[in-house]
Amino acid sequence: MASLSWRIAPDDAVRVVPDGSGPTTPVTTLRLRPCAVGPKAFTVRGPGLSRRVRTSRCTVRIRLPREGTYRASVVRGRGPVLARARLRPRLLRVVALGDSFASGEGVPDQRGLYVPQRDGAGAVAGVSTLRRARWADESCHRSSRAVPRLAVASLADRRSHVTLVHLACTGAEVKAGLLWPGGAVSSRLLLDGAPQVAPDPAAQLPAARRALRGRRADAVVLSIGGNDIGFGGIVTTCATSTSCQDALAPTLDTQLTTLDAALTPLGKAMTALAPPRRVLLVPYPDIVSGPRGGECAAVDLGIEPGEAVWAASAIGALNATLRGAAVRHGWRFVERAAGALAGRGVCAGDTARVISLSDSVVRQGTETGTLHPDAAGQRAIANALRGPLARAVR
C-alpha cells in the first residue's frame, strides 16, 4: 500500500523578513512511497490553492499560500488514487524588537578584517579595511547570527514554518526606536574615519504591524532599556574617568525611573502586536564578571575591578526594572538569559563570551560591538530563550 508523506522543506523552515515584505508561507515537500514507476499527477487543494503537478518523480515541492487544511492525492495515468494525505502546516510569526543585544551587534554575518590606525597618544583614530564586515541589515547592524534568529530555529520542524520579522536595531531606545522613529548605528564609527552607514529611522512597532499585515504575532522577543540608561556612556565613562561610580551613580536612579515610565506606553502599544503572555522580555547578561564570578578588570577598556563591580550592579538594577515592567504588563521575563554568560565576561580570558574593544575594531571596523556577546555568547542566550519561546507559542 502506497503512502503520501509531507513535510516543510528543511531549507525553508525559517524565513527572515524585513519591514514591509509580509509573512512568508512554506514550501512543502510531498513524497510517494514506495515510488510508482511512470508518469504521475500530484494534486493539492485547499485555501487559495488548486494545483496539479504532472511528473515522473515521486517527490514534488509546492508552496502553500496560507494557513489552513489542504488535501493532497497522487494518481498514475487514469488509474485509481495511489495515496492521499491531509496537510495542515503550522505557520508561526515571531517578531524581534529592541536594541543591539537583539540585533546581533558584534557578530556580523561575515566577519571583516580591519587594521586599527592610532593617533600620537595611542588611541584608535580610524581603521584600514582589508575585508569588509557583512550584515543582514547594515544600517542597524542586524545579523543572522543574533539571538532571535538562533532561538526561533528550534520552533521549526516537519510541520511548522517560522517567519521571523527581525527589526531590532543597534542604538534603539523605548521611545526613539520602538515607539517612534530613531535608534540606529551610532555615528561613533571608525571605518575610514567616517560613519559607515546611514541611520535607519524606522519605528519598530509600526514596522512590525506592517510586516504582519493584520495578523498578531505568535511571539515577540524584546530586548530594550540599555540605551535608555546610557549604556554607551557608562562604558565610555568607566573607561576614561577616575571612578565611573562617582560620576554616574547619582543619575542612575533617575534614568531607571524614566525608563520605567517609558515602558508603560510601550506595554499598551504592544497589545496590538501580541497577547501579553506571548511577549518575552530578555534581560541583559552579565558582561563583566570574570571566571567563577571574580572581580573583573578590562585592561583595553581602562575599567578597573571596582568599576566593573559597580557596572555589574547597574546591570542588575536595570534588569530589576525590566522584571518589574514584565510583571505589570503580563510579559514573560526570560530570567535564565541574565545568567547565560556568568563568569564569561570580557576579562575571562580564553573562556570569555563577550567582545573586547580590540576585537570589535578588528572584526567589524567599529567600537560598537564592544561588551556585546560573541558568537558563542549569542548561542548561550538563545539556548536560555528557547524553552520560554516554545511555551509562548503553544
Side-chain angles (χ1 to χ4, degrees), residues 98-99 172-174 178 222-226 228 263 266 281-282 284 322:
D99 57 21
E173 301 176 11
V174 173
L178 294 192
L222 176 63
S223 172
I224 201 68
D228 295 82
L263 290 169
L266 176 62
L281 183 57
V282 183
Y284 290 86
L322 297 174

Side-chain angles (χ1 to χ4, degrees), residues 5-9 13 28 33 89 155-161:
S5 62
W6 70 278
R7 66 171 300 177
I8 303 295
T28 299
R33 290 178 173 170
L155 300 177
D157 56 31
R158 296 173 63 91
R159 299 290 186 261
S160 300
H161 168 89

Side-chain angles (χ1 to χ4, degrees), residues 230-247:
F231 174 78
I234 290 175
V235 174
T236 301
T237 303
C238 288
T240 58
S241 69
T242 303
S243 171
C244 60
Q245 181 175 358
D246 293 342

Side-chain angles (χ1 to χ4, degrees), residues 16-23 136-137 142 163-167 207 210-212:
V16 181
V17 300
D19 172 22
S21 65
D137 181 285
R142 195 177 298 136
T163 295
L164 174 63
V165 183
H166 193 188
L167 298 170
R210 289 194 299 270
L212 292 172

